[in-house]
Amino acid sequence: MKAQRSFGSAAVGVGLGALLLPAAALADTTVSPATTPVGGTVVLTTTECNPATGDALFHVTGPDRDENIRSTTAAAGGGLSAELFTAGFTLGTYTVTTTCGDGSSGGSATFTVTAIGATPIGGAPAGAGGKDGDTGVLLAGGALAAAAVAGGTYVLVRRRRRGATSAA
């Protein structure tokens, strides 16, 4: 009976870990490129928002900006995207937060506007993204998965030891 209980606990741990890890690993909002010169264009994308629930609202804040950009454009990988032209932006770091059409959060990301010629066009990677608190979800999923593996290993080792002692 104890082995079944242990296997049940291990299965629950693996199941919860499998549910939590993929959801947290995916960036919900990205900005590409992460660094652009004044007058460059960045693409804001959210994979969290479903186009069927309405427009995504990208809220851009930074040194000289507090504006909303509404998107109805479906992104190639799913979700919604919009282009932002940075002409007239002040040098610095900007934060993009996304609200989906159903009112849920679509995550956040940052990008940096630099002086012209400071960054080669197309040379910067996509900006960081994801919801606040993703690290905790990743840690919880990893801990659940590790506990499930440890529990399963313990049960198998114990079962083999019992089999070896009963055969002797």
Side-chain angles (χ1 to χ4, degrees), residues 40-93:
T41 301
V42 294
V43 177
L44 314 173
T45 304
T46 179
T47 56
E48 185 72 17
C49 299
N50 182 351
T53 63
D55 303 347
L57 187 65
F58 295 99
H59 185 82
V60 180
T61 55
D64 66 343
R65 292 282 182 247
D66 187 2
E67 66 180 284
N68 292 319
I69 300 148
R70 186 170 299 279
S71 172
T72 58
T73 305
L80 294 163
S81 67
E83 289 187 354
L84 175 64
F85 187 55
T86 62
F89 275 54
T90 299
L91 304 182
T93 301

